[in-house]
Coordinates of all heavy atoms in Angstrom, one line a residue:
A9 N 23.7 100.3 -10.7 CA 24.3 99.1 -10.5 C 25.1 99.0 -9.3 O 26.2 99.8 -9.3 CB 25.2 98.7 -11.8
L10 N 24.8 98.3 -8.2 CA 25.4 98.5 -6.9 C 26.9 98.2 -6.9 O 27.6 98.6 -6.0 CB 24.6 97.7 -5.9 CG 23.1 98.1 -5.9 CD1 22.4 97.2 -4.8 CD2 22.9 99.5 -5.5
A11 N 27.3 97.2 -7.8 CA 28.8 96.9 -7.9 C 29.2 96.5 -6.5 O 30.4 96.8 -6.3 CB 29.5 98.1 -8.5
L12 N 28.6 95.6 -5.8 CA 29.2 95.1 -4.7 C 30.2 93.9 -4.9 O 30.2 93.3 -6.1 CB 28.1 94.4 -3.7 CG 27.0 95.3 -3.3 CD1 26.0 94.6 -2.5 CD2 27.5 96.6 -2.5
Y13 N 31.1 93.7 -4.1 CA 32.3 92.7 -4.3 C 31.7 91.3 -4.0 O 31.5 91.1 -2.8 CB 33.4 93.2 -3.6 CG 34.0 94.5 -3.9 CD1 34.0 95.5 -3.0 CD2 34.4 94.8 -5.3 CE1 34.4 96.8 -3.2 CE2 34.9 96.1 -5.5 CZ 34.9 97.1 -4.5 OH 35.4 98.3 -4.9
P14 N 31.5 90.5 -4.9 CA 30.8 89.3 -4.6 C 31.8 88.4 -3.7 O 31.2 87.3 -3.0 CB 30.5 88.6 -5.9 CG 31.5 89.2 -6.9 CD 31.7 90.6 -6.3
H15 N 33.0 88.5 -3.8 CA 33.9 87.6 -3.0 C 34.2 88.1 -1.6 O 34.9 87.5 -0.9 CB 35.2 87.4 -3.7 CG 36.0 88.9 -3.8 ND1 35.6 89.8 -4.8 CD2 37.1 89.3 -3.2 CE1 36.4 90.8 -4.7 NE2 37.3 90.5 -3.8
M16 N 33.4 89.1 -1.2 CA 33.6 89.7 0.1 C 32.3 89.7 0.9 O 31.2 89.8 0.3 CB 34.1 91.3 0.1 CG 35.4 91.5 -0.7 SD 35.7 93.3 -0.6 CE 37.1 93.3 -1.5
D17 N 32.4 89.5 2.2 CA 31.2 89.6 3.0 C 30.6 91.0 3.2 O 31.3 92.0 2.7 CB 31.3 88.8 4.4 CG 32.3 89.5 5.2 OD1 32.8 90.7 5.0 OD2 32.9 88.7 6.1
V18 N 29.6 91.2 3.9 CA 29.0 92.5 4.0 C 29.9 93.4 4.7 O 30.1 94.6 4.3 CB 27.6 92.4 4.7 CG1 27.2 93.8 5.2 CG2 26.6 91.7 3.9
A19 N 30.4 93.0 5.9 CA 31.4 93.9 6.6 C 32.6 94.3 5.8 O 33.0 95.4 5.8 CB 31.8 93.1 7.8
T20 N 33.2 93.4 5.0 CA 34.3 93.8 4.1 C 33.9 94.7 3.0 O 34.7 95.7 2.7 CB 34.9 92.5 3.6 OG1 35.2 91.6 4.7 CG2 36.3 92.9 2.9
N21 N 32.7 94.5 2.5 CA 32.2 95.5 1.5 C 32.1 96.9 2.1 O 32.6 97.9 1.3 CB 30.8 95.0 0.9 CG 31.0 94.2 -0.4 OD1 31.1 94.8 -1.5 ND2 31.0 92.9 -0.4
I22 N 31.4 96.9 3.1 CA 31.2 98.3 3.8 C 32.5 99.0 4.1 O 32.7 100.2 3.9 CB 30.4 98.2 5.0 CG1 28.8 97.8 4.6 CG2 30.2 99.5 5.8 CD1 28.0 97.4 5.7
G23 N 33.5 98.2 4.6 CA 34.7 98.7 5.1 C 35.8 98.9 4.0 O 36.8 99.5 4.3
Y24 N 35.5 98.5 2.8 CA 36.6 98.5 1.8 C 37.1 99.9 1.6 O 38.3 100.1 1.3 CB 36.0 97.9 0.4 CG 37.1 97.8 -0.6 CD1 38.0 96.8 -0.5 CD2 37.2 98.7 -1.7 CE1 39.0 96.6 -1.4 CE2 38.2 98.4 -2.6 CZ 39.1 97.4 -2.5 OH 40.1 97.2 -3.4
P25 N 36.3 101.0 1.4 CA 36.8 102.4 1.2 C 37.8 102.8 2.3 O 38.8 103.5 2.1 CB 35.6 103.2 1.2 CG 34.4 102.4 0.8 CD 34.8 101.0 1.5
L26 N 37.6 102.2 3.6 CA 38.5 102.6 4.6 C 39.8 101.8 4.5 O 41.0 102.4 4.7 CB 37.9 102.2 6.0 CG 36.6 102.9 6.3 CD1 36.0 102.3 7.6 CD2 36.7 104.4 6.4
K27 N 39.7 100.6 3.9 CA 41.0 99.9 3.6 C 41.8 100.6 2.6 O 43.1 100.7 2.8 CB 40.7 98.5 3.1 CG 41.9 97.5 2.8 CD 41.4 96.2 2.4 CE 42.7 95.3 2.1 NZ 42.2 93.9 1.6
V28 N 41.1 101.0 1.6 CA 41.8 101.9 0.4 C 42.6 103.1 1.2 O 43.6 103.5 0.7 CB 40.9 102.2 -0.6 CG1 41.6 103.1 -1.7 CG2 40.4 101.1 -1.3
A29 N 41.9 103.7 2.1 CA 42.4 104.8 2.8 C 43.5 104.5 3.8 O 44.0 105.5 4.5 CB 41.2 105.7 3.3
G30 N 43.8 103.2 4.0 CA 44.8 102.9 5.0 C 44.5 102.7 6.3 O 45.2 102.8 7.3
V31 N 43.1 102.7 6.6 CA 42.5 102.4 8.0 C 42.7 101.0 8.4 O 42.5 100.1 7.8 CB 41.1 102.8 8.0 CG1 40.6 102.5 9.5 CG2 40.8 104.3 7.7
G32 N 43.1 100.8 9.7 CA 43.5 99.5 10.2 C 42.2 98.6 10.3 O 41.1 99.0 10.3
K33 N 42.5 97.4 10.3 CA 41.4 96.2 10.3 C 40.5 96.4 11.4 O 39.2 96.4 11.2 CB 42.1 94.9 10.3 CG 41.0 93.8 10.1 CD 41.7 92.4 9.8 CE 40.7 91.3 9.7 NZ 41.4 90.0 9.6
A34 N 40.9 96.7 12.6 CA 40.0 96.7 13.8 C 39.1 97.9 13.7 O 37.9 97.9 13.9 CB 40.8 96.8 15.1
E35 N 39.7 99.1 13.3 CA 38.8 100.2 13.1 C 37.8 100.1 11.9 O 36.7 100.5 12.0 CB 39.7 101.5 12.9 CG 38.8 102.8 12.9 CD 39.6 104.1 12.7 OE1 40.9 103.9 12.8 OE2 39.1 105.1 12.4
R36 N 38.3 99.5 10.8 CA 37.3 99.2 9.8 C 36.2 98.5 10.1 O 35.0 98.7 9.8 CB 38.1 98.6 8.7 CG 39.1 99.2 7.9 CD 39.4 98.7 6.6 NE 39.8 97.3 6.5 CZ 41.0 96.8 6.7 NH1 42.0 97.6 6.8 NH2 41.1 95.4 6.5
R37 N 36.4 97.3 11.0 CA 35.3 96.5 11.4 C 34.4 97.3 12.3 O 33.2 97.2 12.3 CB 35.8 95.3 12.2 CG 34.8 94.4 12.8 CD 34.1 93.6 11.7 NE 33.0 92.9 12.2 CZ 32.4 91.8 11.6 NH1 32.8 91.4 10.5 NH2 31.3 91.1 12.2
E38 N 34.9 98.1 13.3 CA 34.1 98.9 14.2 C 33.2 99.9 13.5 O 32.1 100.0 13.7 CB 35.1 99.6 15.1 CG 34.3 100.4 16.2 CD 35.3 101.2 17.1 OE1 36.5 101.0 17.1 OE2 34.7 102.1 17.9
R39 N 33.8 100.5 12.5 CA 33.0 101.5 11.7 C 32.0 100.8 10.7 O 30.8 101.3 10.6 CB 34.0 102.5 10.9 CG 34.7 103.4 11.9 CD 35.7 104.2 11.3 NE 35.2 105.1 10.1 CZ 35.9 106.1 9.5 NH1 37.1 106.2 10.0 NH2 35.5 106.7 8.6
A40 N 32.3 99.7 10.3 CA 31.4 98.9 9.5 C 30.2 98.5 10.3 O 29.0 98.5 9.9 CB 32.0 97.7 8.8
E41 N 30.5 98.1 11.6 CA 29.4 97.7 12.5 C 28.6 98.9 12.8 O 27.3 98.8 12.9 CB 30.1 97.1 13.7 CG 30.7 95.7 13.6 CD 31.3 95.2 14.8 OE1 31.4 96.0 15.8 OE2 31.8 94.0 14.8

């Protein structure tokens, strides 16, 4: 069960573990890309 977050777009879903780890927004977007 993939358990994606339905209220988030693809980039935010991919970058969410980095957000939990305290990584900044710009770096999260770059690594998600």
Side-chain angles (χ1 to χ4, degrees):
L10 303 180
L12 301 179
Y13 303 115
H15 61 289
M16 299 179 184
D17 61 21
V18 169
T20 311
N21 262 281
I22 292 176
Y24 189 76
L26 301 178
K27 181 178 181 180
V28 173
V31 175
K33 185 174 182 180
E35 184 178 349
R36 294 201 306 268
R37 178 72 188 198
E38 180 181 350
R39 286 173 60 176
E41 289 176 352

